[in-house]
Amino acid sequence: MAEGEAVAPVNPMKALGLEKLCINICVGESGDRLTRAAKVLEQLTDQEPVYSKARYTVRSFGIRRNEQIAVSCTVRGDKALEILEKGLKVKEYELYQESFSQTGNFGFGIDEHIDLGIKYDPTIGIYGMDFYAVMGRPGLRVSRRKRKQGRIGAPHRIQRDDTMKWFQQKYDGILLKGKPKNRSQNRPHKKKGKKK
């Protein structure tokens, strides 16, 4: 670099970071399977998970309104980054562009929790889970605080491209084109064809 050139100052308020990581396991039924899923989340996060209820009855899925069907956990700080790193390692640091929202957040799912380094326990079984990363910047609190609430200006809002760039720089991530394929082993999809 030449001596006469000035270095553009880096604005610390523009620094992008992980605000929180939401992990969800939806079992689709209450009872023993749900409590075992809660144990898996507790092992992973060292926090007590929250139970979610069904909003309405769906007879084909066999769920009733207000029946507990899922467990979720919100992790922040260094622990969130550590768990996100484990999850991305399972995905081999490859995410689809469709996995990133317009507001700069992203999500993905894994099929087996034992890939995260949790020891397999035959009494618990194997569970898949969803990861959702919410991104943040210093100063976004202005729009959420109770007193003197304000609006975030357009240049300071987090865009989809910002998060994609962050993912590529921080994790040497690879962005894939197209939509994520649904490879759920639990629910095989019916092949479309002529009815007999």
Side-chain angles (χ1 to χ4, degrees), residues 22-29 33-42 48-53 68-74 127-130:
C22 305
I23 307 167
N24 177 51
I25 301 177
C26 187
V27 180
E29 61 184 65
R33 278 192 69 208
L34 191 65
T35 11
R36 291 197 306 245
K39 278 182 192 169
V40 168
L41 265 188
E42 205 166 335
E48 192 180 331
V50 174
Y51 290 87
S52 305
K53 294 176 180 177
Q68 291 181 335
I69 57 166
V71 276
S72 59
C73 217
T74 302
Y127 289 91
M129 56 184 74
D130 301 318

Side-chain angles (χ1 to χ4, degrees), residues 33-157:
R33 278 192 69 208
L34 191 65
T35 11
R36 291 197 306 245
K39 278 182 192 169
V40 168
L41 265 188
E42 205 166 335
Q43 280 179 328
L44 181 64
T45 60
D46 298 327
Q47 291 176 205
E48 192 180 331
V50 174
Y51 290 87
S52 305
K53 294 176 180 177
R55 285 188 291 174
Y56 38 77
T57 304
V58 181
R59 294 189 101 182
S60 57
F61 291 156
I63 55 170
R64 291 185 307 278
R65 188 169 177 266
N66 287 336
E67 182 185 3
Q68 291 181 335
I69 57 166
V71 276
S72 59
C73 217
T74 302
V75 194
R76 296 169 199 270
D78 295 333
K79 185 79 179 168
L81 280 169
E82 184 190 314
I83 295 169
L84 180 63
E85 174 94 47
K86 285 180 187 174
L88 288 170
K89 196 182 274 186
V90 173
K91 300 298 273 184
E92 296 172 352
Y93 300 100
E94 292 181 353
L95 288 180
Y96 284 92
Q97 289 179 0
E98 290 284 323
S99 301
F100 292 82
S101 73
Q102 292 301 319
T103 51
N105 305 324
F106 66 95
F108 59 93
I110 61 163
D111 289 330
E112 298 179 353
H113 74 272
I114 51 173
D115 294 336
L116 297 169
I118 300 171
K119 200 176 173 208
Y120 173 67
D121 185 354
T123 57
I124 289 177
I126 292 177
Y127 289 91
M129 56 184 74
D130 301 318
F131 286 77
Y132 197 75
V134 178
M135 304 304 288
R137 258 189 189 135
L140 291 183
R141 178 180 169 271
V142 169
S143 63
R144 296 189 197 132
R145 64 191 181 189
K146 191 170 182 179
R147 192 169 171 272
K148 296 267 190 179
Q149 202 176 60
R151 285 173 62 187
I152 301 295
H156 200 68
R157 285 188 205 128

